Amino acid sequence: MSDATSAPHHSALLQQLSGHFGGLSPSQLLEALETSTPGRVSPLEYLDLCMSGQILAREIGLRPGQMGVIVNGRIIGPLPAGAFSEVDFPPLIVYERDRRVTPIITALKEAQFATESLDRSSYADLISTAASVIAAVQVPDPTAEGLFNIPMRPRQRQYRHLDSKHSKIAHGKEDTALFHFAFVVDPLSEAAQKLGGLLKWLSTLETVYLEVYMIADQTREELPLKRFYRSLVRPHLIFNEAGDEVPPMVGFKNLPEEPIYTLAMDVPASWLARPRESEYDLDNIHLASLSGSERITGVKALFDLDFLVIEGHARDTSTGSPPRGLQLQLISHDMTPIADTLVVENLGYLQFKAKPGVFQLDIKKGRGEDVFVTESVGNAGWESPPVESEAGAEVTLTSFEGLTLYPRFKRQQGQADTDVLRPPRENFFSSAVQKVVQAVTSWIRPPEVIEEADINIFTVASGHLYERFASIMILSVMKNTNSTVKFWFIENFLSPSFLEFIPHLAEEYNFQYELVTYKWPSWLRSQREKQRVIWGYKILFLDVLFPMDLKKVIFVDADQIVRTDLQELVDLDLHGAPYGYTPMGDDNADMEGFRFWKTGYWKDYLKGRPYHISALYVIDLVKFRQLAAGFSLDKNWLWCETWCSKDRLDQAKTIDLCQNPLTKEPKLSRARQIPEWSKYDGEIAGFARRLVKEGKIGSSALSAEVDALAGEKPKKGTGTTDDSAAPVEGETTASSSPVHAEL
């Protein structure tokens, strides 16, 4: 027999509906049913009974024509017509008694629960409630239903068959513990390091019994540990002598001093956290370089949890496929949009960043409203109720676990085959009517004017040295244009020092800036090396990284020098392409042996077409979201010594400090050969020193000499470009630099 059960809220619903029967006992109810005379039920009573039945059927998921059986607070069904009759009740009662009622009675007796004072009705109520609660534990949370949920499996203890004589650690009292935890781990894995803090905390609880089985990988040829983890799991609050709570913190002690460390937080997938305060370059911590006083105080950093992530997977109910390109927004209680995004084709994925609160999910004004209408915001799982129900269109973010939505959208009448990313085809009449409507609407309620800068530039910088490079790049842009400029920084990688410095730099040189962020999607394979993460952010998320209203943006590597007005690149006709990249330099004969794209995989893939570099490119975001083909920029838009001929240096519109695998020349040496670079560097350093002197910023990192900043980094290519010659994290160059480790 099927053992299907209902969600926990059904028991509460049944209890509420029982109020319609007043305080009748079971015997009184039977007597009333036996002695009742047909025709004595008033119309209002009959209507009340029918409405109660409809509410019950709807809440337990029964549709018209379906039937189900409620037993001990559980719903068995829906059942097809004729599948259950009166002859099925006796075996159901036996099944329920043997499988549920008897074990519960036994458990209540063992727990010495006082049941003697209960009458028959109260006792039956207790057993029914307990059976319902126990059954509900096996039912997945309906709000968690979705694409990636794994069906619940019965608990098994197969790990106890392992040969654990010398590899098992046990803690606690197995016979009396309420909770049993078992972990099977490779002691040399990162997973084992992460579990350390949790295991230590669990070991402090008297109600817990722990078993840890350590099974090492015998095939390892080297130790895989290149990261160190510390967990912040407190068994209790800690107070100082004054009675104040001691803030939670973690520390790393006795670390090897020679490696270059990166300090970061390993946080849940739903957290957007970043360092708020630190005087140190957290991407390049070299303990051997610390002074005596710094060794005493240590390298300190304070992290903030800025936002939680609301993600989701949208679907078009007419086709079951994602509504690719549909623009959505979160709206606060006062109807103010706080975030917007776009549904991507991969799994219909969408993402917002938000702080705890109650919001509404809505289709952003524009083309999407003409094609789709919201059927459900998906706030209660895969089969969430429609927006017309009590659930409505509200999205409630109340947990540090974030929130996953499964919104459904249905097409407007006549839009069955319409692509939301394609502009509508207009005939003369419809176009004229639309213009008249727009004119009248704008006269009645003028549209909100959002001023957009003439030039929009985004860049990625990580570490104090590359933040200095980024400041110099900004200065070179502003020195060569009279247009308004707005810089977009990916906040994920910026240091507290730069975040403190950038508002003053923007005021001094009259440009706008905005910080954007995006959480690496939980379903997308994560990258371990920070360099590859940075590459991902500058390439993979362009359609969702910026506000939907932004039309065109230029990416400029942090370590570039701009020599021309980038307004020219904004105005450049891309001939309908969504983006334009610069071809890789191909006229420096000395580097022919390093041009990897001319052999092997890349040669076969390109088939004679040019290989492009992503150190500078322009994106038409409107076209990009429609996924058209690319466009090649003129080669003079990007020059670097490694790949390009020195004969056309004077024609270069931007210069990139790419690594040279032939000479292995440090980037600073290369930079100082560019006449204006040292001038810009001195101007930035002088401005930062003035801010420190005036007390406007507290950090002296950006005012330091650039040589000091470079001295904190290993002498290898760990910048923000995708130079093929740059060694990856963990490799060293001929200069025998220290390795890079992570905390």
Side-chain angles (χ1 to χ4, degrees), residues 436-502:
V436 171
V437 171
Q438 288 176 346
V440 173
T441 303
S442 62
W443 178 73
I444 297 174
R445 186 178 61 185
E448 182 181 356
V449 178
I450 301 177
E451 294 188 5
E452 187 174 298
D454 300 326
I455 304 172
N456 287 273
I457 298 170
F458 91 96
T459 192
V460 187
S462 180
H464 288 173
L465 178 62
Y466 274 84
E467 288 170 348
R468 171 66 72 83
F469 284 156
S471 302
I472 294 170
M473 180 271 290
I474 291 170
L475 192 57
S476 70
V477 170
M478 300 308 299
K479 295 286 188 180
N480 287 283
T481 187
N482 293 319
S483 302
T484 57
V485 181
K486 184 171 185 176
F487 289 92
W488 300 80
F489 300 97
I490 299 182
E491 187 179 10
N492 307 40
F493 309 108
L494 298 179
S495 72
S497 300
F498 190 76
L499 291 172
E500 183 184 36
F501 175 68
I502 193 63

Side-chain angles (χ1 to χ4, degrees), residues 159 162 167-169 180-186 191-192 194-196 198-203 208-215:
Y159 52 85
L162 294 170
S167 61
K168 174 186 172 182
I169 299 175
H180 290 204
F181 292 91
F183 299 88
V184 180
V185 298
D186 179 349
K194 294 181 181 181
L195 280 174
L198 178 61
L199 293 175
K200 185 177 180 180
W201 172 67
L202 288 173
S203 67
V208 167
Y209 174 71
L210 281 176
E211 292 177 286
V212 181
Y213 295 81
M214 294 179 287
I215 310 297

Side-chain angles (χ1 to χ4, degrees), residues 256-520:
E257 294 190 354
E258 286 306 319
I260 304 295
Y261 294 103
T262 293
L263 178 64
M265 290 191 69
D266 184 52
V267 297
S270 59
W271 287 22
L272 283 168
R274 64 172 179 84
R276 189 185 74 185
E277 295 179 11
S278 180
E279 296 182 1
Y280 299 90
D281 186 348
L282 300 182
D283 279 338
N284 302 281
I285 302 172
H286 192 203
L287 298 177
S289 301
L290 297 180
S291 65
S293 59
E294 289 174 330
R295 286 171 178 267
I296 295 174
T297 59
V299 176
K300 295 183 178 180
L302 180 63
F303 286 79
D304 265 359
L305 173 58
D306 285 343
F307 296 98
L308 297 171
V309 173
I310 299 176
E311 59 182 357
H313 302 274
R315 65 190 191 273
D316 178 350
T317 55
S318 61
T319 64
S321 58
R324 179 180 69 96
L326 180 62
Q327 296 184 9
L328 306 174
Q329 60 183 359
L330 273 186
I331 302 175
S332 63
H333 67 280
D334 60 356
M335 304 307 292
T336 302
I338 64 167
D340 60 11
T341 192
L342 168 143
V343 177
V344 302
E345 188 170 11
N346 293 56
L347 303 175
Y349 186 72
L350 58 99
Q351 183 186 120
F352 298 102
K353 64 175 185 179
K355 297 184 178 181
V358 179
F359 314 98
Q360 282 194 340
L361 179 66
D362 196 12
I363 297 175
K364 191 174 176 66
K365 189 173 181 62
R367 176 71 168 149
E369 287 183 319
D370 301 332
V371 180
F372 288 100
V373 63
T374 305
E375 180 179 289
S376 171
V377 298
N379 51 8
W382 189 253
E383 297 296 339
S384 296
V387 292
E388 294 84 7
S389 67
E390 294 181 2
E394 287 189 348
V395 174
T396 305
L397 180 59
T398 58
S399 169
F400 284 117
E401 295 180 355
L403 183 64
T404 301
L405 304 174
Y406 299 95
R408 304 191 304 272
F409 301 94
K410 59 183 179 181
R411 291 181 175 268
Q412 300 273 20
Q413 187 174 3
Q415 304 291 334
D417 300 320
T418 304
D419 187 348
V420 72
L421 289 172
R422 302 295 177 186
R425 295 181 179 179
E426 298 178 346
N427 55 38
F428 175 79
F429 177 76
S430 63
S431 177
V433 171
Q434 186 177 13
K435 289 180 180 179
V436 171
V437 171
Q438 288 176 346
V440 173
T441 303
S442 62
W443 178 73
I444 297 174
R445 186 178 61 185
E448 182 181 356
V449 178
I450 301 177
E451 294 188 5
E452 187 174 298
D454 300 326
I455 304 172
N456 287 273
I457 298 170
F458 91 96
T459 192
V460 187
S462 180
H464 288 173
L465 178 62
Y466 274 84
E467 288 170 348
R468 171 66 72 83
F469 284 156
S471 302
I472 294 170
M473 180 271 290
I474 291 170
L475 192 57
S476 70
V477 170
M478 300 308 299
K479 295 286 188 180
N480 287 283
T481 187
N482 293 319
S483 302
T484 57
V485 181
K486 184 171 185 176
F487 289 92
W488 300 80
F489 300 97
I490 299 182
E491 187 179 10
N492 307 40
F493 309 108
L494 298 179
S495 72
S497 300
F498 190 76
L499 291 172
E500 183 184 36
F501 175 68
I502 193 63
H504 302 285
L505 187 67
E507 182 180 6
E508 179 74 10
Y509 292 99
N510 194 29
F511 64 84
Q512 306 170 49
Y513 76 95
E514 188 167 331
L515 306 176
V516 292
T517 188
Y518 194 77
K519 186 72 174 183
W520 195 278

